[in-house]
Amino acid sequence: MRIAVSSDTDEPVARQLVDELRRRGHTVVPFGALGAGDDRADWAWSAGAAARAVAEGGADHAVVCCWTGTGASIAANKVPGVRAALCADAPTADGARRWNDANALALSLRTLSGPVLQEILDAWFAGAPSQDQEDRDNVAHLRALEGGPS
């Protein structure tokens, strides 16, 4: 799977995220402070770029990071077709994938530890969108809210 990853700072946990995604066999497409330096590292720019990669089909999912995770989540959610979820634990990541069909994971560099990162990624990649009609209707309504086809 191709995963767009952004961070506004080159923190050890952000590098651990990239290494762990690669260890799991994913292709990482880096943005911001993790990239080649040709794009702006600030959270709004880097998270937006990672989210656009998902929306445009260049990545299957995104993981967007900033100090709190909040700004990266907000920026990613401004991109039509992207449903970013700020997840601080595995149950939240599981629910985001299941009930919200989230395609972007937002993480806080401030609060994230290595073991919690592993648990969140396990839940994220094990999760799948619910086939329950109510859940599907909610995700369709999100598309309608952004002006797309429901």
Side-chain angles (χ1 to χ4, degrees):
M1 192 178 297
R2 288 178 56 85
I3 312 293
V5 180
S6 72
S7 181
D8 60 345
T9 56
D10 190 356
E11 296 288 328
V13 73
R15 288 289 168 186
Q16 184 179 357
L17 167 64
V18 169
D19 292 344
E20 179 59 23
L21 290 171
R22 288 182 175 141
R23 187 190 69 74
R24 291 173 184 235
H26 301 292
T27 300
V28 174
V29 182
F31 293 94
L34 304 173
D38 27 340
D39 58 334
R40 193 162 168 176
D42 306 62
W43 57 265
W45 281 265
S46 61
R52 280 192 306 280
V54 172
E56 295 169 0
D60 302 297
H61 289 259
V63 182
V64 297
C65 306
C66 69
W67 194 241
T68 65
T70 306
S73 174
I74 291 168
N77 277 314
K78 296 294 183 186
V79 177
V82 173
R83 293 172 301 284
L86 177 56
C87 299
D89 55 41
T92 304
D94 174 66
R97 289 287 299 128
R98 185 176 339 150
W99 299 310
N100 312 125
D101 191 11
N103 54 11
L105 171 62
L107 297 172
S108 167
L109 297 171
R110 183 183 69 79
T111 62
L112 196 59
S113 68
V116 172
L117 172 63
Q118 298 284 338
E119 293 170 3
I120 290 171
L121 292 176
D122 288 346
W124 183 265
F125 290 114
S130 169
Q131 295 307 305
D132 179 75
Q133 191 59 50
E134 182 179 340
D135 296 330
R136 293 172 59 138
D137 289 347
N138 276 302
V139 173
H141 185 66
L142 292 176
R143 286 191 292 276
L145 288 172
E146 31 179 53
S150 59

PDB file of all heavy atoms in Angstrom, residues 59-90:
ATOM      1  N   ALA A  59      -1.739   7.988  -3.351  1.00  0.00           N
ATOM      2  CA  ALA A  59      -1.537   7.211  -2.127  1.00  0.00           C
ATOM      3  C   ALA A  59      -2.874   6.614  -1.721  1.00  0.00           C
ATOM      4  O   ALA A  59      -3.937   7.173  -2.024  1.00  0.00           O
ATOM      5  CB  ALA A  59      -0.992   8.092  -1.011  1.00  0.00           C
ATOM      6  N   ASP A  60      -2.805   5.482  -1.049  1.00  0.00           N
ATOM      7  CA  ASP A  60      -4.020   4.809  -0.586  1.00  0.00           C
ATOM      8  C   ASP A  60      -4.529   5.411   0.726  1.00  0.00           C
ATOM      9  O   ASP A  60      -5.734   5.466   0.953  1.00  0.00           O
ATOM     10  CB  ASP A  60      -3.747   3.313  -0.391  1.00  0.00           C
ATOM     11  CG  ASP A  60      -3.268   2.669  -1.669  1.00  0.00           C
ATOM     12  OD1 ASP A  60      -4.036   2.658  -2.639  1.00  0.00           O
ATOM     13  OD2 ASP A  60      -2.113   2.199  -1.703  1.00  0.00           O
ATOM     14  N   HIS A  61      -3.604   5.794   1.581  1.00  0.00           N
ATOM     15  CA  HIS A  61      -3.908   6.391   2.881  1.00  0.00           C
ATOM     16  C   HIS A  61      -2.865   7.466   3.151  1.00  0.00           C
ATOM     17  O   HIS A  61      -1.828   7.508   2.491  1.00  0.00           O
ATOM     18  CB  HIS A  61      -3.817   5.356   4.014  1.00  0.00           C
ATOM     19  CG  HIS A  61      -4.922   4.359   4.011  1.00  0.00           C
ATOM     20  ND1 HIS A  61      -5.996   4.427   4.844  1.00  0.00           N
ATOM     21  CD2 HIS A  61      -5.112   3.239   3.269  1.00  0.00           C
ATOM     22  CE1 HIS A  61      -6.802   3.414   4.628  1.00  0.00           C
ATOM     23  NE2 HIS A  61      -6.285   2.679   3.667  1.00  0.00           N
ATOM     24  N   ALA A  62      -3.143   8.290   4.156  1.00  0.00           N
ATOM     25  CA  ALA A  62      -2.162   9.266   4.625  1.00  0.00           C
ATOM     26  C   ALA A  62      -2.040   9.133   6.133  1.00  0.00           C
ATOM     27  O   ALA A  62      -2.993   8.748   6.814  1.00  0.00           O
ATOM     28  CB  ALA A  62      -2.577  10.686   4.258  1.00  0.00           C
ATOM     29  N   VAL A  63      -0.856   9.458   6.625  1.00  0.00           N
ATOM     30  CA  VAL A  63      -0.641   9.645   8.057  1.00  0.00           C
ATOM     31  C   VAL A  63      -0.042  11.034   8.189  1.00  0.00           C
ATOM     32  O   VAL A  63       1.033  11.302   7.645  1.00  0.00           O
ATOM     33  CB  VAL A  63       0.303   8.587   8.667  1.00  0.00           C
ATOM     34  CG1 VAL A  63       0.438   8.818  10.168  1.00  0.00           C
ATOM     35  CG2 VAL A  63      -0.194   7.174   8.381  1.00  0.00           C
ATOM     36  N   VAL A  64      -0.773  11.924   8.844  1.00  0.00           N
ATOM     37  CA  VAL A  64      -0.353  13.314   8.972  1.00  0.00           C
ATOM     38  C   VAL A  64      -0.048  13.616  10.437  1.00  0.00           C
ATOM     39  O   VAL A  64      -0.800  13.238  11.321  1.00  0.00           O
ATOM     40  CB  VAL A  64      -1.419  14.274   8.395  1.00  0.00           C
ATOM     41  CG1 VAL A  64      -1.591  14.038   6.895  1.00  0.00           C
ATOM     42  CG2 VAL A  64      -2.766  14.128   9.091  1.00  0.00           C
ATOM     43  N   CYS A  65       1.085  14.270  10.663  1.00  0.00           N
ATOM     44  CA  CYS A  65       1.547  14.507  12.028  1.00  0.00           C
ATOM     45  C   CYS A  65       1.898  15.971  12.247  1.00  0.00           C
ATOM     46  O   CYS A  65       2.424  16.631  11.354  1.00  0.00           O
ATOM     47  CB  CYS A  65       2.809  13.693  12.308  1.00  0.00           C
ATOM     48  SG  CYS A  65       2.678  11.936  11.999  1.00  0.00           S
ATOM     49  N   CYS A  66       1.618  16.439  13.433  1.00  0.00           N
ATOM     50  CA  CYS A  66       2.121  17.714  13.919  1.00  0.00           C
ATOM     51  C   CYS A  66       2.186  17.589  15.443  1.00  0.00           C
ATOM     52  O   CYS A  66       1.884  16.532  15.996  1.00  0.00           O
ATOM     53  CB  CYS A  66       1.273  18.903  13.459  1.00  0.00           C
ATOM     54  SG  CYS A  66      -0.370  19.022  14.160  1.00  0.00           S
ATOM     55  N   TRP A  67       2.591  18.642  16.119  1.00  0.00           N
ATOM     56  CA  TRP A  67       2.834  18.547  17.561  1.00  0.00           C
ATOM     57  C   TRP A  67       1.620  18.000  18.303  1.00  0.00           C
ATOM     58  O   TRP A  67       1.728  17.084  19.108  1.00  0.00           O
ATOM     59  CB  TRP A  67       3.285  19.888  18.113  1.00  0.00           C
ATOM     60  CG  TRP A  67       3.868  19.792  19.478  1.00  0.00           C
ATOM     61  CD1 TRP A  67       3.401  20.398  20.608  1.00  0.00           C
ATOM     62  CD2 TRP A  67       5.022  19.046  19.879  1.00  0.00           C
ATOM     63  NE1 TRP A  67       4.193  20.074  21.678  1.00  0.00           N
ATOM     64  CE2 TRP A  67       5.207  19.236  21.256  1.00  0.00           C
ATOM     65  CE3 TRP A  67       5.924  18.229  19.198  1.00  0.00           C
ATOM     66  CZ2 TRP A  67       6.228  18.657  21.984  1.00  0.00           C
ATOM     67  CZ3 TRP A  67       6.954  17.642  19.914  1.00  0.00           C
ATOM     68  CH2 TRP A  67       7.104  17.853  21.284  1.00  0.00           C
ATOM     69  N   THR A  68       0.432  18.556  18.037  1.00  0.00           N
ATOM     70  CA  THR A  68      -0.781  18.061  18.703  1.00  0.00           C
ATOM     71  C   THR A  68      -1.572  17.091  17.833  1.00  0.00           C
ATOM     72  O   THR A  68      -2.420  16.364  18.343  1.00  0.00           O
ATOM     73  CB  THR A  68      -1.723  19.219  19.075  1.00  0.00           C
ATOM     74  OG1 THR A  68      -2.182  19.831  17.872  1.00  0.00           O
ATOM     75  CG2 THR A  68      -1.043  20.221  19.988  1.00  0.00           C
ATOM     76  N   GLY A  69      -1.347  17.112  16.545  1.00  0.00           N
ATOM     77  CA  GLY A  69      -2.130  16.320  15.606  1.00  0.00           C
ATOM     78  C   GLY A  69      -3.376  17.044  15.132  1.00  0.00           C
ATOM     79  O   GLY A  69      -3.958  16.700  14.110  1.00  0.00           O
ATOM     80  N   THR A  70      -3.778  18.060  15.869  1.00  0.00           N
ATOM     81  CA  THR A  70      -5.011  18.778  15.554  1.00  0.00           C
ATOM     82  C   THR A  70      -4.896  19.562  14.249  1.00  0.00           C
ATOM     83  O   THR A  70      -5.764  19.462  13.376  1.00  0.00           O
ATOM     84  CB  THR A  70      -5.383  19.736  16.700  1.00  0.00           C
ATOM     85  OG1 THR A  70      -5.425  18.996  17.917  1.00  0.00           O
ATOM     86  CG2 THR A  70      -6.720  20.388  16.454  1.00  0.00           C
ATOM     87  N   GLY A  71      -3.847  20.356  14.106  1.00  0.00           N
ATOM     88  CA  GLY A  71      -3.680  21.158  12.898  1.00  0.00           C
ATOM     89  C   GLY A  71      -3.558  20.293  11.658  1.00  0.00           C
ATOM     90  O   GLY A  71      -4.167  20.588  10.624  1.00  0.00           O
ATOM     91  N   ALA A  72      -2.783  19.218  11.753  1.00  0.00           N
ATOM     92  CA  ALA A  72      -2.628  18.315  10.606  1.00  0.00           C
ATOM     93  C   ALA A  72      -3.964  17.690  10.233  1.00  0.00           C
ATOM     94  O   ALA A  72      -4.292  17.552   9.054  1.00  0.00           O
ATOM     95  CB  ALA A  72      -1.593  17.240  10.927  1.00  0.00           C
ATOM     96  N   SER A  73      -4.755  17.337  11.238  1.00  0.00           N
ATOM     97  CA  SER A  73      -6.078  16.769  10.991  1.00  0.00           C
ATOM     98  C   SER A  73      -6.989  17.778  10.298  1.00  0.00           C
ATOM     99  O   SER A  73      -7.679  17.450   9.323  1.00  0.00           O
ATOM    100  CB  SER A  73      -6.695  16.329  12.326  1.00  0.00           C
ATOM    101  OG  SER A  73      -8.017  15.912  12.161  1.00  0.00           O
ATOM    102  N   ILE A  74      -6.987  19.005  10.799  1.00  0.00           N
ATOM    103  CA  ILE A  74      -7.821  20.051  10.192  1.00  0.00           C
ATOM    104  C   ILE A  74      -7.412  20.290   8.741  1.00  0.00           C
ATOM    105  O   ILE A  74      -8.257  20.355   7.843  1.00  0.00           O
ATOM    106  CB  ILE A  74      -7.740  21.350  11.007  1.00  0.00           C
ATOM    107  CG1 ILE A  74      -8.424  21.161  12.368  1.00  0.00           C
ATOM    108  CG2 ILE A  74      -8.356  22.523  10.246  1.00  0.00           C
ATOM    109  CD1 ILE A  74      -8.158  22.286  13.357  1.00  0.00           C
ATOM    110  N   ALA A  75      -6.116  20.408   8.498  1.00  0.00           N
ATOM    111  CA  ALA A  75      -5.631  20.653   7.136  1.00  0.00           C
ATOM    112  C   ALA A  75      -6.026  19.514   6.199  1.00  0.00           C
ATOM    113  O   ALA A  75      -6.518  19.753   5.088  1.00  0.00           O
ATOM    114  CB  ALA A  75      -4.116  20.847   7.137  1.00  0.00           C
ATOM    115  N   ALA A  76      -5.822  18.279   6.631  1.00  0.00           N
ATOM    116  CA  ALA A  76      -6.150  17.128   5.786  1.00  0.00           C
ATOM    117  C   ALA A  76      -7.642  17.083   5.478  1.00  0.00           C
ATOM    118  O   ALA A  76      -8.049  16.755   4.358  1.00  0.00           O
ATOM    119  CB  ALA A  76      -5.699  15.839   6.453  1.00  0.00           C
ATOM    120  N   ASN A  77      -8.459  17.426   6.463  1.00  0.00           N
ATOM    121  CA  ASN A  77      -9.908  17.377   6.263  1.00  0.00           C
ATOM    122  C   ASN A  77     -10.435  18.471   5.349  1.00  0.00           C
ATOM    123  O   ASN A  77     -11.596  18.421   4.930  1.00  0.00           O
ATOM    124  CB  ASN A  77     -10.631  17.417   7.608  1.00  0.00           C
ATOM    125  CG  ASN A  77     -10.696  16.041   8.233  1.00  0.00           C
ATOM    126  OD1 ASN A  77     -11.024  15.067   7.572  1.00  0.00           O
ATOM    127  ND2 ASN A  77     -10.365  15.965   9.503  1.00  0.00           N
ATOM    128  N   LYS A  78      -9.618  19.445   4.998  1.00  0.00           N
ATOM    129  CA  LYS A  78     -10.030  20.480   4.048  1.00  0.00           C
ATOM    130  C   LYS A  78      -9.969  19.982   2.609  1.00  0.00           C
ATOM    131  O   LYS A  78     -10.520  20.604   1.709  1.00  0.00           O
ATOM    132  CB  LYS A  78      -9.151  21.735   4.183  1.00  0.00           C
ATOM    133  CG  LYS A  78      -9.266  22.424   5.529  1.00  0.00           C
ATOM    134  CD  LYS A  78     -10.638  22.996   5.735  1.00  0.00           C
ATOM    135  CE  LYS A  78     -10.725  23.737   7.046  1.00  0.00           C
ATOM    136  NZ  LYS A  78     -12.084  24.176   7.341  1.00  0.00           N
ATOM    137  N   VAL A  79      -9.299  18.858   2.385  1.00  0.00           N
ATOM    138  CA  VAL A  79      -9.158  18.308   1.039  1.00  0.00           C
ATOM    139  C   VAL A  79     -10.366  17.413   0.748  1.00  0.00           C
ATOM    140  O   VAL A  79     -10.592  16.423   1.469  1.00  0.00           O
ATOM    141  CB  VAL A  79      -7.837  17.513   0.909  1.00  0.00           C
ATOM    142  CG1 VAL A  79      -7.724  16.870  -0.469  1.00  0.00           C
ATOM    143  CG2 VAL A  79      -6.642  18.419   1.186  1.00  0.00           C
ATOM    144  N   PRO A  80     -11.161  17.744  -0.273  1.00  0.00           N
ATOM    145  CA  PRO A  80     -12.336  16.929  -0.585  1.00  0.00           C
ATOM    146  C   PRO A  80     -11.970  15.463  -0.808  1.00  0.00           C
ATOM    147  O   PRO A  80     -10.985  15.145  -1.469  1.00  0.00           O
ATOM    148  CB  PRO A  80     -12.875  17.567  -1.873  1.00  0.00           C
ATOM    149  CG  PRO A  80     -12.399  18.984  -1.816  1.00  0.00           C
ATOM    150  CD  PRO A  80     -11.031  18.904  -1.169  1.00  0.00           C
ATOM    151  N   GLY A  81     -12.761  14.590  -0.197  1.00  0.00           N
ATOM    152  CA  GLY A  81     -12.543  13.156  -0.328  1.00  0.00           C
ATOM    153  C   GLY A  81     -11.677  12.566   0.761  1.00  0.00           C
ATOM    154  O   GLY A  81     -11.538  11.354   0.851  1.00  0.00           O
ATOM    155  N   VAL A  82     -11.100  13.414   1.592  1.00  0.00           N
ATOM    156  CA  VAL A  82     -10.242  12.928   2.670  1.00  0.00           C
ATOM    157  C   VAL A  82     -11.015  12.991   3.975  1.00  0.00           C
ATOM    158  O   VAL A  82     -11.667  13.980   4.291  1.00  0.00           O
ATOM    159  CB  VAL A  82      -8.934  13.737   2.756  1.00  0.00           C
ATOM    160  CG1 VAL A  82      -8.115  13.336   3.980  1.00  0.00           C
ATOM    161  CG2 VAL A  82      -8.121  13.526   1.484  1.00  0.00           C
ATOM    162  N   ARG A  83     -10.946  11.894   4.720  1.00  0.00           N
ATOM    163  CA  ARG A  83     -11.564  11.800   6.035  1.00  0.00           C
ATOM    164  C   ARG A  83     -10.456  11.469   7.026  1.00  0.00           C
ATOM    165  O   ARG A  83     -10.072  10.316   7.185  1.00  0.00           O
ATOM    166  CB  ARG A  83     -12.665  10.740   6.034  1.00  0.00           C
ATOM    167  CG  ARG A  83     -13.856  11.122   5.166  1.00  0.00           C
ATOM    168  CD  ARG A  83     -14.865  10.003   5.016  1.00  0.00           C
ATOM    169  NE  ARG A  83     -14.285   8.797   4.428  1.00  0.00           N
ATOM    170  CZ  ARG A  83     -13.995   8.630   3.133  1.00  0.00           C
ATOM    171  NH1 ARG A  83     -14.237   9.606   2.268  1.00  0.00           N
ATOM    172  NH2 ARG A  83     -13.466   7.505   2.689  1.00  0.00           N
ATOM    173  N   ALA A  84      -9.917  12.513   7.641  1.00  0.00           N
ATOM    174  CA  ALA A  84      -8.803  12.356   8.582  1.00  0.00           C
ATOM    175  C   ALA A  84      -9.334  12.240  10.000  1.00  0.00           C
ATOM    176  O   ALA A  84     -10.241  12.966  10.402  1.00  0.00           O
ATOM    177  CB  ALA A  84      -7.849  13.544   8.482  1.00  0.00           C
ATOM    178  N   ALA A  85      -8.748  11.323  10.758  1.00  0.00           N
ATOM    179  CA  ALA A  85      -9.152  11.101  12.148  1.00  0.00           C
ATOM    180  C   ALA A  85      -7.934  11.226  13.047  1.00  0.00           C
ATOM    181  O   ALA A  85      -6.916  10.567  12.820  1.00  0.00           O
ATOM    182  CB  ALA A  85      -9.770   9.716  12.297  1.00  0.00           C
ATOM    183  N   LEU A  86      -8.047  12.083  14.043  1.00  0.00           N
ATOM    184  CA  LEU A  86      -6.996  12.233  15.054  1.00  0.00           C
ATOM    185  C   LEU A  86      -7.161  11.101  16.053  1.00  0.00           C
ATOM    186  O   LEU A  86      -8.181  11.007  16.740  1.00  0.00           O
ATOM    187  CB  LEU A  86      -7.123  13.595  15.738  1.00  0.00           C
ATOM    188  CG  LEU A  86      -6.148  13.895  16.868  1.00  0.00           C
ATOM    189  CD1 LEU A  86      -4.703  13.755  16.415  1.00  0.00           C
ATOM    190  CD2 LEU A  86      -6.411  15.299  17.412  1.00  0.00           C
ATOM    191  N   CYS A  87      -6.186  10.218  16.099  1.00  0.00           N
ATOM    192  CA  CYS A  87      -6.283   9.016  16.932  1.00  0.00           C
ATOM    193  C   CYS A  87      -5.142   8.971  17.940  1.00  0.00           C
ATOM    194  O   CYS A  87      -3.976   9.022  17.561  1.00  0.00           O
ATOM    195  CB  CYS A  87      -6.241   7.765  16.064  1.00  0.00           C
ATOM    196  SG  CYS A  87      -7.607   7.662  14.886  1.00  0.00           S
ATOM    197  N   ALA A  88      -5.495   8.835  19.205  1.00  0.00           N
ATOM    198  CA  ALA A  88      -4.511   8.759  20.276  1.00  0.00           C
ATOM    199  C   ALA A  88      -4.371   7.344  20.815  1.00  0.00           C
ATOM    200  O   ALA A  88      -3.510   7.086  21.660  1.00  0.00           O
ATOM    201  CB  ALA A  88      -4.898   9.706  21.413  1.00  0.00           C
ATOM    202  N   ASP A  89      -5.209   6.436  20.329  1.00  0.00           N
ATOM    203  CA  ASP A  89      -5.137   5.057  20.813  1.00  0.00           C
ATOM    204  C   ASP A  89      -5.713   4.111  19.758  1.00  0.00           C
ATOM    205  O   ASP A  89      -6.336   4.548  18.785  1.00  0.00           O
ATOM    206  CB  ASP A  89      -5.877   4.900  22.148  1.00  0.00           C
ATOM    207  CG  ASP A  89      -7.318   5.360  22.091  1.00  0.00           C
ATOM    208  OD1 ASP A  89      -8.010   5.091  21.076  1.00  0.00           O
ATOM    209  OD2 ASP A  89      -7.771   5.995  23.053  1.00  0.00           O
ATOM    210  N   ALA A  90      -5.499   2.818  19.975  1.00  0.00           N
ATOM    211  CA  ALA A  90      -5.931   1.805  19.011  1.00  0.00           C
ATOM    212  C   ALA A  90      -7.445   1.722  18.855  1.00  0.00           C
ATOM    213  O   ALA A  90      -7.936   1.614  17.719  1.00  0.00           O
ATOM    214  CB  ALA A  90      -5.346   0.450  19.402  1.00  0.00           C
TER     215      ALA A  90
END
